[in-house]
Amino acid sequence: MSSSLRIITTEDGSHSLYNDDLKESYHNLGGAFRESIHINMLYGLDTWVMNNPKKKPIRIFEVGFGTGLNAWLTLVWAEQNQIPVLYHSIEPFPLTEDIYSQLNYGDMDDAIFHYKPYLQRLHKAEWDKGIIMSEYFNMKKEKVTLQDVQLYPSDVVFYDAFAPSKQPEMWSKVVLRKVCDSLNAGGIFTTYCATGQLKRDLKEMGLAVETLPGPPGKKEMTRGWRK
């Protein structure tokens, strides 16, 4: 295991990672599992489908593959709803097997326990290549930075970079504009971050911006819409 990363347990019992170099956790300490469901499934995918019931497949771009939690829950969501998803994720610093093999997300809900093996399959999938992971979930993960990646048009963006105070370059106007410009009409941008500066920047880039209730342990989150 990398000397700078250690597994921690958040308040809902699910794992996250703590980066000792950045002094930052990968997820909200109020609950990693609940956070991902709240921000990305409820206010991202469920909302998209409600507004676009006939548009399939859904094209998703994720900033920060990390622990694979967002990708795994999206695979589960796609299979349960039988809605095709094309998932594009980037991660310049992938986890090693000694870390991701210990993550407990597959044990968090008995109703989706049978999807547990997919978490490691997502991590072990070949980088920089499109992969059919399941009947309704296709994925391409790239070992590349946001600054260098070539983006495809997307319907939903999961913006899950470290906090602006820890990785300010990930929240610069240059990269935010790159991501916002990739959104299709009506596309959704979701993030745990709720700073005033982010909201102003998203509005400057033409998005309608909402401040929504955050997941347990966090007061607010942000959602943007491509007009």
mmCIF file of all heavy atoms in Angstrom, residues 8 19 44 67 79 88 100 107 143-144 146 149 166 169 177 180 185 188 224:
data_model
loop_
_atom_site.group_PDB
_atom_site.id
_atom_site.type_symbol
_atom_site.label_atom_id
_atom_site.label_comp_id
_atom_site.label_asym_id
_atom_site.label_seq_id
_atom_site.Cartn_x
_atom_site.Cartn_y
_atom_site.Cartn_z
ATOM 1 N N ILE A 8 -9.747 4.278 5.639
ATOM 2 C CA ILE A 8 -10.471 4.738 6.821
ATOM 3 C C ILE A 8 -11.932 4.302 6.687
ATOM 4 O O ILE A 8 -12.392 3.976 5.591
ATOM 5 C CB ILE A 8 -10.395 6.271 6.999
ATOM 6 C CG1 ILE A 8 -10.973 6.983 5.762
ATOM 7 C CG2 ILE A 8 -8.960 6.705 7.237
ATOM 8 C CD1 ILE A 8 -11.079 8.499 5.919
ATOM 9 N N ASN A 19 -5.436 10.602 2.273
ATOM 10 C CA ASN A 19 -4.137 10.919 1.694
ATOM 11 C C ASN A 19 -3.354 11.756 2.698
ATOM 12 O O ASN A 19 -3.684 12.919 2.943
ATOM 13 C CB ASN A 19 -4.332 11.681 0.372
ATOM 14 C CG ASN A 19 -3.033 11.910 -0.363
ATOM 15 O OD1 ASN A 19 -2.048 12.352 0.213
ATOM 16 N ND2 ASN A 19 -3.030 11.620 -1.657
ATOM 17 N N GLY A 44 -27.892 13.347 -9.882
ATOM 18 C CA GLY A 44 -27.301 13.232 -11.202
ATOM 19 C C GLY A 44 -28.122 12.340 -12.106
ATOM 20 O O GLY A 44 -28.936 12.814 -12.893
ATOM 21 N N THR A 67 -11.495 5.423 -5.818
ATOM 22 C CA THR A 67 -11.803 4.112 -5.241
ATOM 23 C C THR A 67 -12.711 3.273 -6.126
ATOM 24 O O THR A 67 -12.950 2.102 -5.831
ATOM 25 C CB THR A 67 -12.486 4.263 -3.868
ATOM 26 O OG1 THR A 67 -13.765 4.906 -4.051
ATOM 27 C CG2 THR A 67 -11.627 5.064 -2.903
ATOM 28 N N GLU A 79 -27.687 -1.442 -14.431
ATOM 29 C CA GLU A 79 -28.232 -2.791 -14.516
ATOM 30 C C GLU A 79 -29.634 -2.856 -13.908
ATOM 31 O O GLU A 79 -30.534 -3.496 -14.470
ATOM 32 C CB GLU A 79 -27.293 -3.772 -13.804
ATOM 33 C CG GLU A 79 -25.957 -3.965 -14.498
ATOM 34 C CD GLU A 79 -26.106 -4.564 -15.873
ATOM 35 O OE1 GLU A 79 -26.871 -5.531 -16.045
ATOM 36 O OE2 GLU A 79 -25.461 -4.041 -16.815
ATOM 37 N N HIS A 88 -17.006 7.338 -18.909
ATOM 38 C CA HIS A 88 -15.636 7.765 -19.178
ATOM 39 C C HIS A 88 -15.070 8.357 -17.891
ATOM 40 O O HIS A 88 -15.649 9.293 -17.321
ATOM 41 C CB HIS A 88 -15.633 8.816 -20.292
ATOM 42 C CG HIS A 88 -14.274 9.296 -20.679
ATOM 43 N ND1 HIS A 88 -14.063 10.527 -21.268
ATOM 44 C CD2 HIS A 88 -13.036 8.717 -20.571
ATOM 45 C CE1 HIS A 88 -12.776 10.683 -21.503
ATOM 46 N NE2 HIS A 88 -12.136 9.606 -21.092
ATOM 47 N N TYR A 100 -7.397 -1.433 -3.307
ATOM 48 C CA TYR A 100 -8.785 -1.570 -3.776
ATOM 49 C C TYR A 100 -9.392 -2.924 -3.440
ATOM 50 O O TYR A 100 -10.609 -3.040 -3.315
ATOM 51 C CB TYR A 100 -8.923 -1.238 -5.255
ATOM 52 C CG TYR A 100 -8.286 -2.147 -6.264
ATOM 53 C CD1 TYR A 100 -8.743 -3.446 -6.481
ATOM 54 C CD2 TYR A 100 -7.234 -1.687 -7.065
ATOM 55 C CE1 TYR A 100 -8.163 -4.268 -7.438
ATOM 56 C CE2 TYR A 100 -6.650 -2.501 -8.032
ATOM 57 C CZ TYR A 100 -7.129 -3.789 -8.210
ATOM 58 O OH TYR A 100 -6.556 -4.596 -9.166
ATOM 59 N N ASP A 107 -20.279 -4.816 0.391
ATOM 60 C CA ASP A 107 -20.909 -5.363 1.592
ATOM 61 C C ASP A 107 -21.889 -4.390 2.232
ATOM 62 O O ASP A 107 -22.473 -4.697 3.278
ATOM 63 C CB ASP A 107 -19.837 -5.730 2.634
ATOM 64 C CG ASP A 107 -18.843 -6.737 2.111
ATOM 65 O OD1 ASP A 107 -19.280 -7.692 1.445
ATOM 66 O OD2 ASP A 107 -17.631 -6.579 2.353
ATOM 67 N N LYS A 143 -5.683 6.774 -17.806
ATOM 68 C CA LYS A 143 -4.643 7.186 -16.867
ATOM 69 C C LYS A 143 -4.031 8.486 -17.394
ATOM 70 O O LYS A 143 -2.956 8.517 -17.973
ATOM 71 C CB LYS A 143 -3.583 6.098 -16.738
ATOM 72 C CG LYS A 143 -2.684 6.221 -15.529
ATOM 73 C CD LYS A 143 -1.594 5.157 -15.523
ATOM 74 C CE LYS A 143 -2.174 3.750 -15.507
ATOM 75 N NZ LYS A 143 -1.090 2.725 -15.399
ATOM 76 N N VAL A 144 -4.762 9.570 -17.176
ATOM 77 C CA VAL A 144 -4.404 10.850 -17.764
ATOM 78 C C VAL A 144 -4.944 11.969 -16.880
ATOM 79 O O VAL A 144 -5.875 11.765 -16.093
ATOM 80 C CB VAL A 144 -4.997 10.948 -19.201
ATOM 81 C CG1 VAL A 144 -6.527 10.985 -19.149
ATOM 82 C CG2 VAL A 144 -4.460 12.146 -19.958
ATOM 83 N N LEU A 146 -6.790 15.717 -16.225
ATOM 84 C CA LEU A 146 -7.912 16.442 -16.817
ATOM 85 C C LEU A 146 -7.413 17.448 -17.842
ATOM 86 O O LEU A 146 -8.061 17.700 -18.858
ATOM 87 C CB LEU A 146 -8.708 17.146 -15.713
ATOM 88 C CG LEU A 146 -9.922 17.960 -16.138
ATOM 89 C CD1 LEU A 146 -10.889 17.122 -16.963
ATOM 90 C CD2 LEU A 146 -10.630 18.518 -14.910
ATOM 91 N N VAL A 149 -6.686 15.174 -21.088
ATOM 92 C CA VAL A 149 -7.647 14.229 -21.644
ATOM 93 C C VAL A 149 -8.450 14.859 -22.780
ATOM 94 O O VAL A 149 -8.723 16.060 -22.775
ATOM 95 C CB VAL A 149 -8.605 13.721 -20.542
ATOM 96 C CG1 VAL A 149 -9.545 14.832 -20.069
ATOM 97 C CG2 VAL A 149 -9.400 12.509 -21.020
ATOM 98 N N LYS A 166 -6.967 21.978 -1.745
ATOM 99 C CA LYS A 166 -5.923 20.955 -1.844
ATOM 100 C C LYS A 166 -5.386 20.817 -3.266
ATOM 101 O O LYS A 166 -4.213 20.544 -3.477
ATOM 102 C CB LYS A 166 -6.468 19.602 -1.380
ATOM 103 C CG LYS A 166 -7.057 19.617 0.022
ATOM 104 C CD LYS A 166 -6.007 19.934 1.075
ATOM 105 C CE LYS A 166 -6.616 19.894 2.484
ATOM 106 N NZ LYS A 166 -5.615 20.165 3.520
ATOM 107 N N GLU A 169 -5.600 23.589 -8.975
ATOM 108 C CA GLU A 169 -5.509 23.495 -10.433
ATOM 109 C C GLU A 169 -6.684 22.735 -11.043
ATOM 110 O O GLU A 169 -7.021 22.930 -12.215
ATOM 111 C CB GLU A 169 -4.191 22.819 -10.838
ATOM 112 C CG GLU A 169 -4.081 21.331 -10.543
ATOM 113 C CD GLU A 169 -3.696 20.998 -9.093
ATOM 114 O OE1 GLU A 169 -3.628 21.927 -8.257
ATOM 115 O OE2 GLU A 169 -3.465 19.805 -8.819
ATOM 116 N N ARG A 177 -14.013 25.173 -17.649
ATOM 117 C CA ARG A 177 -14.617 25.510 -18.938
ATOM 118 C C ARG A 177 -14.509 24.337 -19.904
ATOM 119 O O ARG A 177 -15.443 24.047 -20.659
ATOM 120 C CB ARG A 177 -13.948 26.755 -19.546
ATOM 121 C CG ARG A 177 -14.613 27.209 -20.835
ATOM 122 C CD ARG A 177 -14.039 28.528 -21.320
ATOM 123 N NE ARG A 177 -14.326 29.617 -20.408
ATOM 124 C CZ ARG A 177 -15.489 30.248 -20.309
ATOM 125 N NH1 ARG A 177 -16.512 29.869 -21.068
ATOM 126 N NH2 ARG A 177 -15.645 31.236 -19.462
ATOM 127 N N CYS A 180 -17.248 21.956 -18.778
ATOM 128 C CA CYS A 180 -18.587 22.509 -19.037
ATOM 129 C C CYS A 180 -18.914 22.549 -20.522
ATOM 130 O O CYS A 180 -20.048 22.288 -20.933
ATOM 131 C CB CYS A 180 -18.698 23.904 -18.432
ATOM 132 S SG CYS A 180 -18.716 23.930 -16.625
ATOM 133 N N ALA A 185 -26.648 19.707 -24.356
ATOM 134 C CA ALA A 185 -27.755 20.564 -23.928
ATOM 135 C C ALA A 185 -28.578 19.838 -22.869
ATOM 136 O O ALA A 185 -28.924 18.671 -23.041
ATOM 137 C CB ALA A 185 -28.628 20.919 -25.118
ATOM 138 N N ILE A 188 -25.984 17.711 -16.955
ATOM 139 C CA ILE A 188 -25.906 17.973 -15.519
ATOM 140 C C ILE A 188 -24.473 17.846 -15.028
ATOM 141 O O ILE A 188 -23.768 16.889 -15.372
ATOM 142 C CB ILE A 188 -26.795 16.981 -14.738
ATOM 143 C CG1 ILE A 188 -28.255 17.142 -15.137
ATOM 144 C CG2 ILE A 188 -26.629 17.165 -13.232
ATOM 145 C CD1 ILE A 188 -29.167 16.084 -14.513
ATOM 146 N N GLY A 224 -25.024 21.974 -11.577
ATOM 147 C CA GLY A 224 -25.131 22.904 -12.682
ATOM 148 C C GLY A 224 -25.837 22.251 -13.853
ATOM 149 O O GLY A 224 -25.798 21.033 -14.016
#
